[in-house]
Amino acid sequence: YASDYGFAAQPQAWTLKVGGHNNNVTDYSNPIAKANNWLFKNPEEWTMSRCSDNSDFSFLVLSSGSAHYEFGFTAGFGARAVFYLQSSVNLIGGNGTEADPYRV
């Protein structure tokens, strides 16, 4: 979700605005938000968040680190599979790399 992307940054970035519409991206491209956000990847990719005032728009994370909402899913932008873990799930191994993935 766009909110997960926002809160994946360091706490000092949590008060920054994530983005808007028509490239009206705001201050979330601030280097402290982008450089320390463990969910920020390049190139651009979609979140699974829809815009609250128009269900045809979804949030897209830009290479600048900001997010804005865009109509539909445009070809050429990626998306990552995600899942949520319950608090009872434990990490039993791995370091999260391709060669040594997390084991839960």
Side-chain angles (χ1 to χ4, degrees):
Y1 292 98
S3 60
D4 292 331
Y5 174 68
F7 287 117
Q10 298 297 313
Q12 62 266 33
W14 292 352
T15 59
L16 300 175
K17 296 177 184 176
V18 174
H21 180 54
N22 293 333
N23 293 320
N24 180 24
V25 291
T26 53
D27 53 355
Y28 207 77
S29 59
N30 179 309
I32 82 163
K34 181 172 127 175
N36 295 314
N37 189 323
W38 65 273
L39 283 177
F40 176 75
K41 301 291 182 195
N42 207 356
E44 288 89 357
E45 62 186 2
W46 292 103
T47 71
M48 58 191 291
S49 296
R50 297 270 188 198
C51 177
S52 63
D53 62 352
N54 188 330
S55 64
D56 293 334
F57 286 72
S58 296
F59 278 91
L60 176 67
V61 175
L62 303 174
S63 59
S64 68
S66 290
H68 75 103
Y69 45 97
E70 185 67 47
F71 179 74
F73 288 103
T74 306
F77 298 123
R80 285 185 271 169
V82 297
F83 60 94
Y84 288 92
L85 300 175
Q86 295 181 344
S87 61
S88 61
V89 174
N90 295 309
L91 176 66
I92 60 171
N95 65 13
T97 65
E98 184 176 356
D100 188 19
Y102 290 127
R103 291 182 295 144
V104 293

